[in-house]
């Protein structure tokens, strides 16, 4: 009876070992398959996000190039007009330039290096125009001062 019991115990141990080995192999394959599926989904999401980001960057760059080009054309056109502008016309041009420059300066930190260099070139061209106009018209202040002074009669 001891021998039969001993054989049953050994058989049971072998059966448990075989089942444990087969279960862990099956679980391992399932885990790998699930991990691969999750990785594939994650890669797809990353690719989609990257495509959206690239599209947004391209759109922003296109918009920046259009704004920059419009402003560059405006500077070229008004530089020619400034050669014969009156003081009042010059004040209006300069005020418009300052407004546009402030708008584009706020956006220029997102531009690539080529656009930034072009932007600096546009500002340099305008500075040359300002120098020419100031030498022609004299020093023009942008601020109109309206002073109302009451004299004390003592």
């Amino acid at each position: 009876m001891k021998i039969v019991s001993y054989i049953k115990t050994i058989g049971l141990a072998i059966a448990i070992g075989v089942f444990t080995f087969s279960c862990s192999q099956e679980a391992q394959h399932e885990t790998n398959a699930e991990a691969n599926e999750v990785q594939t989904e994650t890669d797809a999401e990353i690719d989609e996000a990257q495509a959206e980001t690239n599209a947004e960057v391209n759109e922003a760059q296109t918009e920046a190039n259009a704004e920059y080009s419009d402003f560059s054309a405006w500077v070229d056109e008004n530089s020619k007009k400034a050669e014969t502008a009156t003081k009042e016309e010059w004040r209006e041009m300069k005020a418009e330039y300052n407004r546009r420059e402030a708008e584009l300066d706020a956006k220029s930190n997102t531009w690539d290096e080529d656009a930034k260099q072009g932007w600096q070139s546009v500002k340099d061209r305008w500075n040359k125009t300002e120098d020419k106009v100031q030498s022609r018209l004299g020093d023009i202040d942008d601020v109109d001062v309206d002073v109302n002074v009451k004299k004390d009669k003592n």
Side-chain angles (χ1 to χ4, degrees):
M1 199 65 167
K2 274 190 162 189
I3 295 180
V4 174
S5 175
Y6 183 68
I7 292 176
K8 285 183 182 179
T9 304
I10 292 176
L12 185 61
I14 291 173
I16 290 175
V18 169
F19 287 132
T20 303
F21 179 75
S22 67
C23 287
S24 67
Q25 287 291 82
E26 183 180 319
Q28 188 177 26
H29 289 296
E30 286 177 8
T31 303
N32 286 341
E34 288 174 6
N36 289 340
E37 183 179 326
V38 168
Q39 185 65 39
T40 303
E41 290 173 3
T42 304
D43 289 345
E45 290 172 358
I46 289 171
D47 290 344
E48 183 179 330
Q50 200 169 29
E52 287 177 13
T53 302
N54 289 343
E56 289 172 2
V57 166
N58 288 339
E59 182 180 328
Q61 201 63 29
T62 301
E63 183 179 326
N65 287 341
E67 289 175 339
Y68 163 74
S69 295
D70 289 346
F71 187 66
S72 180
W74 183 91
V75 165
D76 291 340
E77 178 183 325
N78 283 289
S79 291
K80 291 175 186 172
K81 289 180 183 178
E83 293 175 5
T84 59
T86 64
K87 286 184 179 185
E88 185 59 35
E89 290 171 335
W90 173 246
R91 282 189 186 112
E92 289 174 12
M93 278 187 231
K94 191 170 180 180
E96 179 67 12
Y97 172 83
N98 289 338
R99 183 188 67 76
R100 289 176 171 226
E101 179 188 32
E103 287 177 5
L104 289 177
D105 267 340
K107 296 176 183 178
S108 67
N109 60 351
T110 61
W111 295 352
D112 62 6
E113 286 304 313
D114 291 338
K116 286 180 181 179
Q117 287 176 353
W119 173 234
Q120 188 59 48
S121 172
V122 170
K123 292 196 298 188
D124 292 343
R125 289 195 322 255
W126 184 257
N127 286 336
K128 288 178 184 176
T129 300
E130 279 185 343
D131 292 342
K132 288 178 185 177
V133 171
Q134 284 185 353
S135 68
R136 184 174 62 85
L137 297 176
D139 193 23
I140 301 173
D141 292 330
D142 289 332
V143 179
D144 290 334
V145 179
D146 185 16
V147 179
N148 188 3
V149 178
K150 293 182 183 180
K151 293 184 179 180
D152 259 345
K153 294 183 182 180
N154 287 337

